[in-house]
């Protein structure tokens, strides 16, 4: 239903304003010329959902995910039973890791594994990096990073008696009218990096503002200081092309349930540059990470390859939907996905300027598309109050306390008209919650 037609029927006060027809027309033509428009049918229908803008938090299922899960259960698990371990399951963390590495990370084979949650994978990689710099005492990290990253660093620094040098994100883009957009700049890392730095842990894309850090420059700065980098790619993987090998990244991790649509709790990936693998150790030394798992040997002998980062039985069932998404990603390529993503978030900002800025909503993400990730954050004090009405209407953004909405239109599953409906609905809900403009 078009919100121009929608009336609450309570006679006035909450009457919804019409949507500007030129913006609807523009959305229609962007859809008509979208080379990836047909990909939207590759995702499961969501009855009642008018606009799904939370691909940055949980991607939608592919259309065949349910079928794949059920046939896996019937044929593989049910039919092959324990034989399945010899027929691909045991290798799955590495075979699927290689696929994901090639399709999305710019990682050559033998460097990517599918592990546990991002939190656990990061824990392993941070320890591994620190073990490679035993004489250094400092970690550089972002004081405003996603909580899990900060908590891990706190805990690991405490465990190992290290000092954390916290970086506060600073202004990265200035415009007169918008909120201050913050992120971590290379010069900030350069100011702190030195002989004592063991490790720099940062997110490639800021989960709040969507700002894309200069990963190659920061990696280079860390290396010049003799330190290693661990990059959190949660908001990058599946949203934009990565080139980890070429950028000389040491370690990286990311989740598969955001832009990689693997489903709630789908396991995270880890990347370890091949040059580090032979000397790398990790703290969760389990039976699946050894040279010969089924020998049940007396002591831990790490596998010579990336398998040493596998700990216990992998979440084979949890990897099934991710395989379906990788089929799609391999089909279109990350360059095309990034182009669509930027077009979608450009359009969000165009809609913001016309529909939301007049209500006093502030833009909290970069206007410059080249440093903007897959989502756009907006701020208004009535966002929380507007949320129930939005959800009720099938418009689903991501609320961030205290006053933010993140709008993350997942590139393959989202259309421009859907984005238009979503932003228009946000305007209406804010007006109903008492915003004026
Ligand atoms: C989503 C996200 C995580 C998630 O961690 P899990 O252990 O998978 O829950 C971690 N770091 C960042 C930056 C994220 O955006």
């Amino acid at each position: 239903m078009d919100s121009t037609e929608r009336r609450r029927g309570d006679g006035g006060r909450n009457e919804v304003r019409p949507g500007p027809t030129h913006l609807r027309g523009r959305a229609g033509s962007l859809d008509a010329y979208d080379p990836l428009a047909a990909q939207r049918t590759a995702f499961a229908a969501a009855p009642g959902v008018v606009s799904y803008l939370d691909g940055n938090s949980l991607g939608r299922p592919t259309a065949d995910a349910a079928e794949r899960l059920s046939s896996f259960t019937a044929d593989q698990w049910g039919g092959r039973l324990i034989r399945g371990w010899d027929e691909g399951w045991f290798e799955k963390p590495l075979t699927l890791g290689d696929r994901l590495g090639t399709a999305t990370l710019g990682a050559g084979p033998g460097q990517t594994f599918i592990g546990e949650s991002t939190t656990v994978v990061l824990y392993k990689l941070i320890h591994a990096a620190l073990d490679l710099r035993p004489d250094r005492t400092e970690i550089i990290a972002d004081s405003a990073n996603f909580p899990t990253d900060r908590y891990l660093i706190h805990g690991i620094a405490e465990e190992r008696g290290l000092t954390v040098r916290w970086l506060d994100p600073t202004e990265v883009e200035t415009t007169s009218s918008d909120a201050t957009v913050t992120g971590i700049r290379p010069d900030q890392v350069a100011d702190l990096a030195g002989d004592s730095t063991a490790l720099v842990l940062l997110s490639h894309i800021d989960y709040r503002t969507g700002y894309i850090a200069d990963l190659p420059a920061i990696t280079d700065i860390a290396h010049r200081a003799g330190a290693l980098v661990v990059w959190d790619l949660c908001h990058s993987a599946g949203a934009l092309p990565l080139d980890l090998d070429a950028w000389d990244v040491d370690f990286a991790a990311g989740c598969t349930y955001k832009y990689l649509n693997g489903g709630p709790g789908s396991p995270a990936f880890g990347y370890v540059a091949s040059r580090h693998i032979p000397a790398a150790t990790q703290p969760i030394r389990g039976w699946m990470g050894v040279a010969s798992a089924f020998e049940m040997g007396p002591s831990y002998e790490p596998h010579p390859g990336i398998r040493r980062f596998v700990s216990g039985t992998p979440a084979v069932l949890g990897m099934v939907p991710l395989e379906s998404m990788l089929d799609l990603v391999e089909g279109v390529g990350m360059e095309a996905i990034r182009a669509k993503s930027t077009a979608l978030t450009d359009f969000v900002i165009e809609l913001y300027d016309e529909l939301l800025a007049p209500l006093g909503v502030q833009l909290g993400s970069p206007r410059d598309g080249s440093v903007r990730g897959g989502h756009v954050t907006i701020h208004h004090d009535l966002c929380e109050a507007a949320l129930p009405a939005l959800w009720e209407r099938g418009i689903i953004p991501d609320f961030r306390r205290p006053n933010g909405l993140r709008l993350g239109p997942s590139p393959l599953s989202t259309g421009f008209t859907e984005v238009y409906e979503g932003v228009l609905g946000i305007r209406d809900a804010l007006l109903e919650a008492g915003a004026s403009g």
Side-chain angles (χ1 to χ4, degrees):
M1 185 170 59
D2 185 337
S3 68
T4 38
E5 296 146 24
R6 193 194 311 124
R7 293 293 182 270
R8 285 169 65 103
D10 56 1
R13 192 170 56 86
N14 286 330
E15 188 136 311
V16 170
R17 298 179 183 187
T21 50
H22 68 283
L23 289 175
R24 166 170 290 281
R26 190 148 149 66
S29 71
L30 285 165
D31 276 327
Y33 289 100
D34 170 13
L36 299 187
Q39 297 290 329
R40 295 182 59 207
T41 60
F43 294 85
V49 174
V50 172
S51 182
Y52 188 61
L53 300 174
D54 211 348
N56 53 304
S57 209
L58 179 69
R60 297 174 52 186
T62 55
D64 71 357
E67 162 67 29
R68 286 194 192 214
L69 280 163
S70 103
S71 77
F72 183 91
T73 306
D75 306 336
Q76 291 256 332
W77 176 12
R80 302 309 298 157
L81 294 165
I82 191 81
R83 294 169 290 185
W85 286 108
D86 290 332
E87 296 167 359
W89 302 347
F90 181 71
E91 295 301 330
K92 206 61 153 186
L94 312 185
T95 51
L96 194 56
D98 278 348
R99 249 190 102 180
L100 186 145
T102 305
T104 68
L105 305 179
Q111 305 177 98
T112 309
F113 65 100
I114 307 291
E116 300 80 15
S117 67
T118 316
T119 304
V120 174
V121 172
L122 279 171
Y123 180 81
K124 294 181 183 185
L125 298 185
I126 293 165
H127 272 292
L130 292 171
D131 286 345
L132 292 171
R133 290 293 179 272
D135 301 328
R136 294 180 170 228
T137 54
E138 292 183 359
I139 300 172
I140 295 175
D142 174 355
S143 67
N145 205 344
F146 190 83
T148 226
D149 302 62
R150 290 183 279 115
Y151 302 162
L152 281 170
I153 285 294
H154 257 299
I156 292 171
E158 211 170 273
E159 269 175 57
R160 303 179 69 121
L162 302 175
T163 304
V164 187
R165 307 287 303 271
W166 293 104
L167 286 174
D168 297 330
T170 50
E171 189 164 338
V172 287
E173 191 186 78
T174 321
T175 50
S176 52
S177 57
D178 304 330
T180 306
V181 180
T182 57
I184 299 291
R185 293 192 320 239
D187 57 280
Q188 293 181 273
V189 179
D191 285 346
L192 289 189
D195 293 346
S196 307
T197 313
L199 169 69
V200 178
L201 169 88
L202 294 171
S203 283
H204 181 210
I205 298 183
D206 187 306
Y207 80 105
R208 296 152 312 141
T209 64
Y211 175 72
I212 305 176
D214 190 341
L215 185 157
I218 291 172
T219 299
D220 191 49
I221 288 164
H223 287 167
R224 282 165 195 270
L228 297 171
V229 290
V230 177
W231 283 102
D232 184 329
L233 304 175
C234 279
H235 283 272
S236 318
L240 80 182
L242 294 160
D243 215 353
L244 301 187
D245 287 350
W247 293 334
D248 221 15
V249 166
D250 303 297
F251 298 89
C255 65
T256 60
Y257 50 78
K258 289 169 182 162
Y259 295 104
L260 288 170
N261 302 55
S266 63
F269 65 86
Y271 164 91
V272 182
S274 56
R275 64 186 173 280
H276 293 312
I277 293 174
T281 52
Q282 61 104 342
I284 309 177
R285 298 173 188 182
W287 73 297
M288 287 259 178
V290 299
S292 187
F294 294 102
E295 265 176 26
M296 309 285 177
S299 60
Y300 177 81
E301 290 295 335
H303 189 280
I306 188 72
R307 171 167 287 285
R308 63 178 55 195
F309 279 87
V310 176
S311 295
T313 303
V316 176
L317 204 50
M319 299 180 205
V320 172
L322 175 60
E323 294 191 284
S324 169
M325 182 62 181
L326 286 176
D327 286 347
L328 296 180
V329 172
E330 286 164 352
V332 300
M334 283 308 309
E335 297 289 341
I337 289 173
R338 171 62 175 163
K340 168 89 184 271
S341 170
T342 306
L344 284 164
T345 53
D346 276 343
F347 189 50
V348 170
I349 292 176
E350 188 180 331
L351 293 166
Y352 157 84
D353 281 332
E354 200 152 330
L355 299 174
L356 301 179
L359 305 187
V361 179
Q362 287 213 302
L363 181 65
S365 294
R367 282 183 180 271
D368 175 358
S370 70
V371 291
R372 185 173 66 238
H375 72 270
V376 172
T377 302
I378 56 174
H379 299 280
H380 192 285
D381 286 341
L382 291 169
C383 284
E384 188 166 15
L387 203 61
L390 285 170
W391 279 26
E392 195 180 307
R393 287 177 194 160
I395 295 168
I396 310 177
D398 184 86
F399 174 65
R400 283 280 139 183
R401 286 188 178 80
N403 66 352
L405 289 182
R406 291 187 306 180
L407 313 179
S410 198
L412 289 186
S413 61
T414 316
F416 293 89
T417 303
E418 183 179 357
V419 167
Y420 165 79
E421 294 285 2
V423 177
L424 189 61
I426 291 168
R427 181 199 69 168
D428 292 347
L430 285 172
L431 283 170
E432 286 170 26
S436 54

